[in-house]
């Protein structure tokens, strides 16, 4: 599993709307597994953690993901702070009974 982590600054509600509009397009990308949009409303910041099934899928999605990221941030009048890639080294899941 591999991850792309992108940070943003701007209107959080507009960022959420922008990324919601693009969710179906992201789901269609080969090797896409899951994504989380994290927000700090008080600080006008957001972060997306997108998970990919392999390093190859992460790399292959880079161009399309950059385009989608720019569209969503422009629509929200937000700026992209950083975009980084990682290998997921450990997953800790909660108890399914919780």
């Amino acid at each position: 599993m591999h991850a792309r982590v992108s940070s943003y600054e701007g209107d959080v509600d507009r960022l959420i709307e922008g990324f919601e509009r693009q969710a179906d397009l992201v789901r269609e990308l080969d090797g896409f597994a899951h994504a989380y949009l994290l927000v700090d409303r008080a600080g006008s910041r957001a972060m997306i953690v997108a998970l990919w099934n392999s390093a190859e899928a992460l790399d292959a999605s880079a161009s399309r993901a950059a385009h989608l990221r720019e569209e969503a941030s422009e629509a929200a009048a937000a700026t992209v702070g950083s975009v980084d890639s990682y290998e997921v080294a450990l997953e800790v899941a909660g108890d399914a009974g919780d």
Side-chain angles (χ1 to χ4, degrees):
M1 186 75 57
H2 290 262
R4 181 178 296 114
V5 180
S6 308
S7 65
Y8 304 85
E9 291 187 20
D11 185 315
V12 170
D13 291 322
R14 288 177 63 191
L15 274 168
I16 293 169
E17 291 171 7
F19 286 112
E20 283 177 335
R21 282 193 300 274
Q22 295 182 341
D24 288 335
L25 297 172
V26 173
R27 283 186 197 101
E28 293 173 1
L29 296 174
D30 288 338
F32 173 75
H34 210 85
Y36 298 93
L37 174 57
L38 313 172
V39 299
D40 170 9
R41 291 181 191 279
S44 297
R45 300 181 307 158
M47 179 178 290
I48 289 186
V49 178
L51 300 173
W52 302 87
N53 293 326
S54 67
E56 294 78 18
L58 175 73
D59 292 343
S61 70
S63 176
R64 183 68 178 137
H67 178 72
L68 294 172
R69 184 171 39 255
E70 290 301 320
E71 283 185 359
S73 60
E74 285 177 10
T79 59
V80 178
S82 65
V83 179
D84 298 295
S85 298
Y86 299 90
E87 177 183 355
V88 177
L90 175 67
E91 178 181 352
V92 179
D95 187 10
D98 288 345

